[in-house]
Amino acid sequence: MPENVAETQATIRNDWSQQEVEALFAMPFNDLMFKAQTVHRANFDANAVQISTLLSIKTGGCAEDCGYCPQSAHHESAVKAEPLMPLNEVLKSANEAKEAGANRFCMGAAWRSLKDRDLERVAEMVEGVKSLGLETCVTLGMLEEHQAKRLKEAGLDYYNHNLDTSPEYYGEIITTRTYEDRLNTLSHVRDAGINVCSGGIVGMGEGRHDRAGLLISLANLPTQPQSVPINLLVQVEGTPLDGVDNLDPIEFVRTIAVARIMMPKSFVRLSAGREHMTDELQAMCFLAGANSIFYGEKLLTTDNPDTNHDQQLFKRLGITPWVGEEKTEEHSCSSAA
């Protein structure tokens, strides 16, 4: 592993090993934070955070059995199945998000995979949101090659498809879709020229070995994801993961810092779980290199800090909303819950 921080800043790698990444996790906390912040400042404005808003356009009734998800038809949660939202309601929500300061609008549907019968309706949503001057992102489950191409034609900027956890721990969380299925969808997205948004969830009972394995799977993709959401598990009654031990907040910050070092030009997003984070913990995550959040009261079906609170926190920290083009050039190694 390069000891020279400048080398880490300049070089994007897709050959990270388990030993290297676990060594990063094991660094003294202050040294890890310094390294992550140095890498972050070399690639981004350290005081700017990209803001996205997420809307569930089709809630509940998903055929997958993801152990964390209240939208799964396999679990007895309070979330009920609803049909795909009408276009006008989606555009109304997108306009409200823009007025609240978001520059990217993400739409999520609780599907195992996108069906061709729904493709054109989703494409119309993408076109409509794009016409409002917002970046567009969708998460619709697994995609086929022709579907990715159609979404690109509609103007889709980002496709979210998380890897969730390490390949080794994956079978403990999901049995209805393989890791290879997820990687294939990401391949279709990349080949269509759509930016990849892919990350995972921590606090699901996994160990540090698995958190390292997740980040290795992401960083060693043919092209590192342009956006990397790091979700902290939100425990929901009725799901299999309700009641697991909470992740140490310092370990969560370490995960953010290691992600920043390994993927220096990717936006690292604080996603699910912010509702349960203190302002101090969020501030530490920003210091570790997180530079993207979801704005708004809901993340699909779980709570999120309200917009006013986020604005107040940004003011206290001297953070401004990110404005401008992301660094999406080809990398040498070469954003859901």
Side-chain angles (χ1 to χ4, degrees), residues 16-23 168 208-214 216:
W16 290 94
S17 71
Q18 188 77 26
Q19 182 178 5
E20 286 180 305
V21 178
E22 290 193 23
E168 296 78 14
R208 179 177 285 183
H209 178 90
D210 297 301
R211 288 187 284 279
L214 166 65
I216 289 168

Side-chain angles (χ1 to χ4, degrees), residues 40-332:
H40 185 55
R41 286 176 177 271
N43 294 282
F44 290 99
D45 180 344
N47 296 304
V49 171
Q50 188 273 331
I51 297 172
S52 301
T53 293
L54 178 61
L55 174 70
S56 179
I57 59 172
K58 193 278 175 189
T59 303
C62 182
E64 301 282 12
D65 67 353
C66 307
Y68 53 80
C69 186
Q71 301 201 69
S72 170
H74 296 260
H75 311 324
E76 295 295 330
S77 75
V79 177
K80 304 303 179 186
E82 297 177 3
L84 190 64
M85 287 180 66
L87 176 62
N88 65 318
E89 291 184 18
V90 173
L91 296 183
K92 180 177 181 291
S93 294
N95 197 55
E96 290 171 353
K98 180 179 180 180
E99 291 176 354
N103 56 35
R104 184 181 305 164
F105 191 72
C106 305
M107 295 165 276
W111 289 322
R112 183 175 189 273
S113 59
L114 175 61
K115 300 294 190 296
D116 283 341
R117 65 172 180 264
D118 298 309
L119 178 58
E120 287 307 314
R121 290 185 64 188
V122 174
E124 288 179 0
M125 293 177 186
V126 171
E127 291 167 349
V129 172
K130 190 80 171 176
S131 71
L132 297 175
L134 288 163
E135 288 185 332
T136 54
C137 177
V138 295
T139 178
L140 312 167
M142 292 183 288
L143 276 190
E144 296 179 15
E145 182 178 2
H146 72 280
Q147 295 171 332
K149 289 180 179 178
R150 176 66 186 98
L151 292 173
K152 174 65 176 178
E153 291 172 358
L156 184 65
D157 296 300
Y158 286 81
Y159 193 88
N160 167 258
H161 199 63
N162 291 334
L163 295 182
D164 284 354
T165 187
S166 70
E168 296 78 14
Y169 195 67
Y170 184 82
E172 300 295 319
I173 304 300
I174 303 160
T175 67
T176 51
R177 183 193 313 182
T178 68
Y179 215 74
E180 192 65 27
D181 288 334
R182 292 180 181 268
L183 293 173
N184 288 340
T185 288
L186 294 184
S187 179
H188 295 326
V189 171
R190 284 194 305 271
D191 290 347
I194 300 169
N195 290 314
V196 169
C197 174
S198 186
I201 307 170
V202 297
M204 297 192 294
E206 78 289 342
R208 179 177 285 183
H209 178 90
D210 297 301
R211 288 187 284 279
L214 166 65
L215 297 182
I216 289 168
S217 296
L218 294 166
N220 288 355
L221 286 169
T223 301
Q224 290 187 349
Q226 285 78 19
S227 183
V228 180
I230 304 295
N231 298 274
L232 182 61
L233 176 68
V234 177
Q235 297 187 27
V236 180
E237 185 176 355
T239 61
L241 291 179
D242 185 29
V244 300
D245 291 340
N246 291 323
L247 185 68
D248 176 9
I250 297 299
E251 183 71 9
F252 182 75
V253 178
R254 284 184 180 275
T255 306
I256 296 291
V258 174
R260 168 50 65 220
I261 293 166
M262 294 174 67
M263 293 171 278
K265 296 186 184 297
S266 302
F267 274 66
V268 176
R269 176 182 296 146
L270 288 183
S271 294
R274 279 205 310 124
E275 172 70 11
H276 304 291
M277 296 180 193
T278 65
D279 288 353
E280 292 80 6
L281 175 55
Q282 291 188 65
M284 199 172 293
C285 289
F286 294 136
L287 186 64
N291 61 341
S292 179
I293 64 166
F294 275 123
Y295 231 17
E297 297 178 1
K298 283 283 185 182
L299 288 187
L300 295 181
T301 60
T302 59
D303 290 337
N304 197 43
D306 65 38
T307 302
N308 288 336
H309 184 85
D310 284 332
Q311 291 172 343
Q312 291 167 9
L313 178 59
F314 277 19
K315 183 176 181 180
R316 291 165 63 200
L317 298 177
I319 287 175
T320 57
W322 171 86
V323 178
E325 293 297 322
E326 293 186 14
K327 298 178 176 65
T328 56
E329 70 272 12
E330 283 295 312
H331 302 329
S332 58

